[in-house]
Amino acid sequence: MYSVNSDKNMKGRLDNVLILDGFPMGSANRVYQIQGSPIRCIKVIGRPLASPMVTDLVMKKYRRLIAYLTELLIDDDDSGDSVREALNQIEKFKQEIKNKYRDYLKKKDLELMSKQLYLLQKEATERYMEIRNSFIKMNEEKRSK
């Protein structure tokens, strides 16, 4: 069950365009063939159809993020750049989920990701504070000499 709309008749007119909210499937560069017609953009409108696709996509991104965050937090960087990068990536992922995918994900999945990200964020914040405090102490010692 699908509908194919051709842009040949539009030629700049936007008076009969129906804009629907949905999940864009695939990439913009990939061309799909449906009944011999090249299709560049597929938007899944039905929530029951879009939910499994979105869940798979988000979980792949989440697993990559967890691996990256673990690598950043294990790194012994004295300047704290890796910890700040980890905090930035956590916040970026949270905002992306909130803005793009929240409607399609189950509450259970959101809670699971939220709890784990909260723990990683808490650890990264503590590490950042430790690094910051050690720099402050070093600077105070240098000034006192």
Side-chain angles (χ1 to χ4, degrees):
M1 180 155 98
Y2 60 87
S3 166
V4 177
N5 294 331
S6 176
D7 287 342
K8 293 177 184 175
N9 297 333
M10 295 300 288
K11 293 194 181 183
R13 288 187 2 216
L14 294 176
D15 51 1
N16 291 330
V17 175
L18 175 63
I19 299 173
L20 297 173
D21 290 330
F23 177 70
M25 185 178 105
S27 68
N29 298 331
R30 185 169 178 191
V31 178
Y32 299 96
Q33 291 290 329
I34 299 177
Q35 287 187 345
S37 299
I39 307 296
R40 289 196 182 273
C41 179
I42 297 176
K43 190 172 273 194
V44 180
I45 304 297
R47 186 173 179 193
L49 292 174
S51 182
M53 291 188 308
V54 172
T55 302
D56 288 343
L57 175 75
V58 169
M59 291 313 259
K60 284 179 187 176
K61 286 184 178 186
Y62 179 70
R63 284 190 285 274
R64 274 189 262 138
L65 176 70
I66 293 296
Y68 182 63
L69 291 176
T70 309
E71 184 180 309
L72 284 176
L73 292 176
I74 290 173
D75 185 26
D76 289 336
D77 185 14
D78 290 336
S79 66
D81 290 337
S82 63
V83 176
R84 273 185 279 159
E85 176 66 21
L87 288 169
N88 288 340
Q89 290 298 322
I90 290 171
E91 193 60 36
K92 180 181 173 185
F93 184 76
K94 282 182 172 181
Q95 290 300 319
E96 186 177 7
I97 295 297
K98 180 181 176 184
N99 295 332
K100 287 185 180 180
Y101 305 119
R102 181 188 294 177
D103 295 336
Y104 300 104
L105 294 173
K106 295 178 183 173
K107 188 174 182 179
K108 179 182 76 172
D109 294 333
L110 288 170
E111 288 175 355
L112 173 73
M113 288 187 288
S114 175
K115 286 179 185 177
Q116 290 178 349
L117 287 175
Y118 174 76
L119 292 174
L120 287 171
Q121 189 174 23
K122 184 178 176 183
E123 182 177 334
T125 304
E126 289 173 1
R127 262 204 203 157
Y128 183 69
M129 295 305 269
E130 288 174 8
I131 291 171
R132 197 171 128 215
N133 289 339
S134 68
F135 275 133
I136 291 172
K137 286 181 184 178
M138 268 196 313
N139 286 338
E140 286 176 359
E141 290 174 3
K142 286 180 183 178
R143 281 191 231 156
S144 65
K145 291 181 180 180

